[in-house]
Amino acid sequence: MSQMLKDIAVFFDVSDGGEQMLEKAARLAEAQNARLIGITSTEANHAESSPSDGFARGAAIHEVIERLQAASAVHLLNAAQALKEVADRHGVSPEFRVIPYVESGVGMALHSLYCDVLVVSHPKAPGAPFAWSAIDVLQQTGVPLLLVPDDWNGQQIGRRIVVAWNASRQARRAAADALPLLIAAEAVDLLIVDAARKAEWHGEEPGSDMAHYLARHDVVVNLERIDSASKPVAEVIRDHALAMGADLIVFGAYSRPRISEVVLGGVSRTLLADVPLPLFVSH
């Protein structure tokens, strides 16, 4: 396959949820023949602290520091070992990155900047630093996010995909970012909801130009136009994805003046809050 993802990063830790997310990312890396970049924070030292640590005095302060540092070292050693084991099992090349739990937004963005996609559990994000924010990563880096519901029980991501298409710049960016996944998918639905509302954006045959574009890139694509019948657009997208048996929805952070309004409001907020399958999000 000529076009594939090369670097897939994932936030993880050695909790059950964190290792499940690592496994899902590893399966995706195997399917794409990509390097697996495991990113974890030094959060473990907080788990080893006790209320009395806040009252340590004198030499006891050094004992607290040494104990927390030792706990953090064990946590990182276990995380590195978990990454190596899952990478070996799936035959992919691993890279281990560590972020301080109190990492700044800028520093955290640097760790996620050099990859094709960042895989994160949602709404909880095991292994992510305290400052983790989907808004910050999208805004500061432009790196697409693959948000996986923490209660999603699927095994492989990207076999059947719904691309939410509204002919906007953001939707175009999302489709381009996800192209390696779309090419590898068994089936892709290019979904347009209420095309007549923005007919000037879509042209005479809404979605046909984009469908032809994807087909020329060897995507097995099916064009679907749906009338919302006054239902919320996010609900229409979700229902179509579930009916299709999809395991991924691709969508752009829709066009509004501020990215925070996009991610936390409207269609995006509803999708993030009430869709039981992974979301590939670009801005």
Side-chain angles (χ1 to χ4, degrees):
M1 187 178 299
S2 61
Q3 186 163 354
M4 304 179 81
L5 299 174
K6 296 300 183 183
D7 294 292
I8 296 175
V10 57
F11 278 139
F12 82 104
D13 61 15
V14 292
S15 67
D16 289 343
E19 292 196 344
Q20 289 174 12
M21 192 56 46
L22 181 61
E23 175 69 23
K24 289 179 171 64
R27 288 176 181 160
L28 184 61
E30 180 182 13
Q32 289 284 314
N33 194 28
R35 181 175 55 153
L36 179 64
I37 303 171
I39 306 176
T40 194
S41 72
T42 55
E43 185 177 1
N45 55 9
H46 293 266
E48 296 295 328
S49 63
S50 65
S52 62
D53 291 342
F55 299 94
R57 298 292 185 273
I61 295 177
H62 296 287
E63 294 177 2
V64 169
I65 293 174
E66 290 176 357
R67 175 162 50 82
L68 295 182
Q69 287 177 336
S72 180
V74 170
H75 160 67
L76 296 180
L77 180 63
N78 290 337
Q81 183 63 32
L83 174 62
K84 181 182 184 301
E85 289 176 357
V86 76
D88 288 346
R89 189 162 61 248
H90 290 277
V92 298
S93 176
E95 178 182 327
F96 188 46
R97 297 181 186 175
V98 178
I99 302 179
Y101 181 63
V102 293
E103 179 70 275
S104 68
V106 174
M108 180 181 58
L110 288 176
H111 284 276
S112 57
L113 183 62
Y114 305 106
C115 65
D116 296 313
V117 63
L118 175 62
V119 182
V120 187
S121 179
H122 179 81
K124 299 177 182 178
F130 179 76
W132 153 251
S133 166
I135 295 174
D136 288 345
V137 171
L138 288 169
Q139 189 175 41
Q140 295 176 14
T141 71
V143 172
L145 302 177
L146 203 169
L147 302 174
V148 183
D150 51 22
D151 58 354
W152 184 67
N153 296 320
Q155 299 298 312
Q156 192 71 38
I157 298 173
R159 287 178 295 186
R160 302 181 65 83
I161 303 175
V162 172
V163 179
W165 179 250
N166 68 351
S168 68
R169 180 191 68 79
Q170 289 82 359
R172 171 64 178 80
R173 171 68 183 274
D177 286 342
L179 192 56
L181 298 178
L182 301 180
I183 293 171
E186 296 173 2
V188 174
D189 272 10
L190 183 66
L191 179 64
I192 303 176
V193 180
D194 296 335
R197 291 186 180 179
K198 294 182 178 180
E200 69 279 9
W201 287 23
H202 290 290
E204 294 183 3
E205 294 292 333
S208 61
D209 290 335
M210 190 59 181
H212 287 310
Y213 169 81
L214 293 176
R216 287 193 295 272
H217 284 78
D218 298 323
V219 176
V220 181
V221 61
N222 173 56
L223 176 59
E224 291 281 351
R225 305 185 187 104
I226 296 180
D227 188 339
S228 68
S230 299
K231 292 171 62 177
V233 172
E235 183 178 336
V236 175
I237 296 172
R238 179 199 64 197
D239 291 349
H240 180 85
L242 293 175
M244 177 193 177
D247 51 27
L248 184 64
I249 295 176
V250 173
F251 72 101
Y254 291 164
S255 49
R256 290 189 181 181
R258 294 179 58 190
I259 192 170
S260 59
E261 294 175 357
V262 173
V263 175
L264 300 178
V267 173
S268 297
R269 179 180 62 187
T270 305
L271 286 175
L272 290 172
D274 193 30
V275 174
L277 53 93
L279 303 171
F280 186 102
V281 190
S282 288
H283 175 69

